[in-house]
Amino acid sequence: MELYKSQTLKIYNTLTGEKEIFKPIHEGNIGMYVCGPTVYSNVHLGNVRTFMSFDVIFRYLRHLDYKVRYVRNITDAGHLTDDGDVENDRFVKQSRLEKLEPMEIVQKYTVDFHKVLDTFNFLPPTIEPTATGHILEQIELTQKLIELGFAYESNGSVYFDVQAYNKKGMNYGELSNRNIDELFANTRDLDGQSEKKNPQDFALWKNASPAHIMRWNSPWGEGFPGWHLECTAMSTKYLGETFDIHGGGMDLKFPHHECEVAQGKACNGHSPVNYWMHTNMLTMNGLRMSKSTGNYVLPMDLVEGNNTFFEKKFEPNIVRFCFLQAHYRSVLDISNDAMIASEKGYSRLIEAYKLSKNLSASNTSTLDISAWKQSCYDAMNDDFNTPILIAQLFEGVRFVNLINDKKASLTEVDLQLLNETLHIFLADVLGINLDVSNDSANTNKLENVVNMLIEMRNEARANKNWALSDEIRDRLLATGIQLKDGKEGTTFLL
């Protein structure tokens, strides 16, 4: 069944700043590229949010019966924080810090990346190429840009010539809506020693200093690829010169994605992507997440309870549910209160889903389940609006409760449609792992019991009944539940 033909999907296109009706290049087939992680450290929650957004997009497109080739790269070389200083290579810096070979760093954090995404029930991409696995393609692309007059060699490095690109009628800055003349006017070379013709030029290939660890042979000497080049090389190889969707975090819009647009247009004479999609940022307690400020928690610390920001651990389904209550283009703020509220909402939803499978059918239907089902599709068709979808799923919860309380009725066919629709959008589209939902419900009940015992212990302590207080603590510990007394009260670890 080609479900996509009966649905009108709109996507917000960063390039035009408008929602547009989605029309794939090849009917029934979609090419989607998403910028993957730079594997020099643990994947952080902001990354997880971005990849989760595209996981849901991937899931929904597949549900609509599209054949999707989803390419998500691994950056394992060439990610400079500054084109002018090879000492800012993140892999080299982390390699020295941890006293490991660069590829040991790559392996360590690639494994961590996959572990985290598996924990949150992500579907794997169709293809997951690496930068180091495509050095030849990046060299060939650099040679082509030189031959076409869009790049130049300087001291063993090769740079993309932004002014030459603009002089040929193209517009560097179109994706991020930046004026290139203003960029040039507001930037100057402080030391006058730059290898670049212009400060806005970006590296396609960098000459490796004698001390640089990661290096490959090239026509310009030993070196390594620039960060922006890998995505153009790999997306072109696996999706063609023009493909449907390119995604990533909004922090990549400039310069990374802007450079990809320029590289693609310079090589092939046309735009490489039809729909550019960007996710917004994740904050915690109203502040930007940052290691330097200490306002920071790793994904696994959140689900394992190893942090000081949240009063308890939260299972992956609850984190996923929390994240998807915000639209991918909106800022998402997480906090202890937000997670607790998400846990309660998630439990309501799952309990109703389980109840929906055991409701009794009637001869007539007093609820319009077909219209409700279409409202779920309408939400996702409006630029993948997961918060609106979740609101519609709670409308389904209301239906379940009405039927269970004998205040509404559904026929056998409509009951089946209600349950199937809940399953489709919870499991297939939102990616909730229903196989562990029973565990979640049992965990919530256990936590309620423990909290009741903590209240009894607090009352015993207030009455100076130290024997009862200690007995509650010790008996809980004997079952594997550890109480922690602190300034904010008593918490526990299961």
Side-chain angles (χ1 to χ4, degrees):
M1 179 181 68
E2 295 176 335
L3 184 57
Y4 66 85
K5 288 188 175 180
S6 64
Q7 304 293 331
T8 301
L9 173 63
K10 289 185 177 180
I11 296 177
Y12 182 86
N13 190 349
T14 304
L15 187 61
T16 62
E18 296 179 353
K19 288 182 187 177
E20 302 175 1
I21 293 176
F22 177 67
K23 294 180 180 179
I25 297 169
H26 303 289
E27 185 176 357
N29 295 272
I30 295 174
M32 181 170 77
Y33 188 95
V34 174
C35 289
T38 302
V39 286
Y40 70 97
S41 64
N42 299 104
V43 61
H44 59 74
L45 271 176
N47 295 140
V48 171
R49 192 225 174 162
T50 290
F51 299 133
M52 187 180 294
S53 296
F54 287 104
D55 180 63
V56 170
I57 290 167
F58 179 40
R59 285 172 176 273
Y60 186 62
L61 294 175
R62 293 209 321 176
H63 170 68
L64 294 182
D65 301 314
Y66 283 106
K67 182 179 180 181
V68 186
R69 177 174 285 182
Y70 174 21
V71 182
R72 187 185 65 211
N73 70 301
I74 295 285
T75 298
D76 58 352
H79 193 154
L80 298 180
T81 56
D82 177 0
D83 273 348
D85 184 3
V86 296
E87 296 306 313
N88 282 327
D89 186 307
R90 294 180 174 186
F91 296 98
V92 173
K93 291 173 73 173
Q94 196 66 21
S95 175
R96 290 170 179 165
L97 182 65
E98 297 193 33
K99 294 182 172 58
L100 295 171
E101 286 291 324
M103 295 314 290
E104 288 182 284
I105 295 294
V106 166
Q107 179 67 9
K108 175 181 177 179
Y109 293 113
T110 300
V111 168
D112 170 74
F113 173 68
H114 289 142
K115 176 185 175 182
V116 169
L117 267 55
D118 287 345
T119 297
F120 291 102
N121 199 34
F122 282 57
L123 294 176
T126 316
I127 304 173
E128 192 173 53
T130 65
T132 56
H134 295 77
I135 298 295
L136 179 61
E137 288 85 351
Q138 293 174 80
I139 290 174
E140 291 174 347
L141 187 57
T142 301
Q143 289 176 308
K144 184 176 181 179
L145 288 168
I146 291 174
E147 292 168 3
L148 291 171
F150 291 105
Y152 57 90
E153 186 270 339
S154 177
N155 297 327
S157 296
V158 181
Y159 296 96
F160 187 93
D161 193 329
V162 172
Q163 280 196 334
Y165 176 78
N166 271 36
K167 285 178 181 178
K168 294 190 178 182
M170 289 171 274
N171 179 21
Y172 183 80
E174 62 181 306
L175 179 65
S176 55
N177 198 28
R178 300 189 181 208
N179 185 300
I180 188 63
D181 292 330
E182 291 180 3
L183 287 176
F184 278 116
N186 295 331
T187 309
R188 60 193 180 94
D189 183 8
L190 296 177
D191 60 14
Q193 301 297 317
S194 174
E195 297 177 338
K196 303 178 186 181
K197 291 181 179 178
N198 302 289
Q200 298 302 328
D201 296 349
F202 55 89
L204 300 173
W205 185 266
K206 287 294 293 183
N207 178 42
S209 66
H212 201 275
I213 308 171
M214 303 180 82
R215 54 204 302 138
W216 290 266
N217 290 322
S218 79
W220 315 283
E222 288 191 339
F224 55 95
W227 174 32
H228 314 304
L229 190 64
E230 64 175 280
C231 289
T232 296
M234 290 186 283
S235 63
T236 301
K237 178 172 182 176
Y238 297 112
L239 299 175
E241 292 181 0
T242 303
F243 54 95
D244 298 295
I245 298 171
H246 194 314
M250 65 180 298
D251 57 312
L252 298 180
K253 185 162 53 174
F254 186 89
H256 185 53
H257 290 164
E258 195 73 69
C259 294
E260 284 190 63
V261 172
Q263 290 166 166
K265 275 192 169 183
C267 273
N268 305 310
H270 52 77
S271 181
V273 179
N274 284 350
Y275 301 86
W276 284 92
M277 301 181 67
H278 292 93
T279 60
N280 213 321
M281 67 186 299
L282 175 73
T283 60
M284 187 166 70
N285 297 318
L287 301 172
R288 181 177 178 271
M289 291 189 70
S290 169
K291 286 183 179 179
S292 60
T293 62
N295 192 54
Y296 184 81
V297 62
L298 288 171
M300 298 308 292
D301 291 340
L302 181 58
V303 300
E304 293 172 357
N306 298 325
N307 65 87
T308 59
F309 295 99
F310 299 89
E311 66 182 63
K312 54 185 285 187
K313 63 183 179 181
F314 294 94
E315 69 148 295
N317 271 345
I318 294 167
V319 178
R320 189 173 182 106
F321 182 71
C322 178
F323 281 17
L324 296 177
Q325 288 182 93
H327 190 265
Y328 76 87
R329 288 192 289 113
S330 300
V331 174
L332 168 65
D333 185 65
I334 60 169
S335 64
N336 187 71
D337 289 345
M339 292 302 302
I340 293 294
S342 293
E343 184 177 54
K344 292 177 180 177
Y346 169 80
S347 296
R348 279 184 56 213
L349 198 50
I350 295 303
E351 289 301 317
Y353 166 71
K354 290 190 292 184
L355 182 58
S356 73
K357 294 186 284 187
N358 299 307
L359 296 172
S360 299
S362 300
N363 294 325
T364 59
S365 292
T366 61
L367 301 168
D368 192 341
I369 298 302
S370 294
W372 167 74
K373 175 182 177 180
Q374 186 57 50
S375 71
C376 293
Y377 281 104
D378 291 343
M380 288 302 292
N381 289 336
D382 183 17
D383 193 30
F384 310 100
N385 201 321
T386 55
I388 298 300
L389 170 62
I390 289 172
Q392 291 301 327
L393 293 179
F394 276 110
E395 180 70 0
V397 170
R398 188 177 72 85
F399 289 171
V400 170
N401 291 331
L402 285 172
I403 297 164
N404 188 55
D405 295 338
K406 310 301 182 184
K407 295 178 181 179
S409 62
L410 290 179
T411 63
E412 186 68 41
V413 171
D414 279 346
L415 270 179
Q416 184 177 353
L417 183 61
L418 172 63
N419 181 255
E420 287 178 351
T421 303
L422 285 171
H423 186 277
I424 285 170
F425 285 98
L426 280 171
D428 298 347
V429 175
L430 293 183
I432 299 297
N433 186 355
L434 296 177
D435 292 337
V436 300
S437 292
N438 288 333
D439 294 338
S440 171
N442 291 334
T443 298
N444 289 336
K445 291 175 183 177
L446 175 59
E447 289 173 351
N448 290 335
V449 172
V450 174
N451 284 323
M452 180 181 67
L453 290 170
I454 288 174
E455 290 177 9
M456 292 174 62
R457 179 171 176 262
N458 288 340
E459 185 176 345
R461 296 172 77 184
N463 295 329
K464 298 185 178 180
N465 188 346
W466 308 119
L468 178 57
S469 170
D470 292 345
E471 182 180 1
I472 293 172
R473 180 199 62 201
D474 294 342
R475 293 184 70 172
L476 284 173
L477 184 60
T479 64
I481 300 171
Q482 180 182 1
L483 299 185
K484 288 186 174 182
D485 296 317
K487 293 180 180 179
E488 304 298 324
T490 302
T491 58
F492 63 92
L493 291 176
L494 295 176

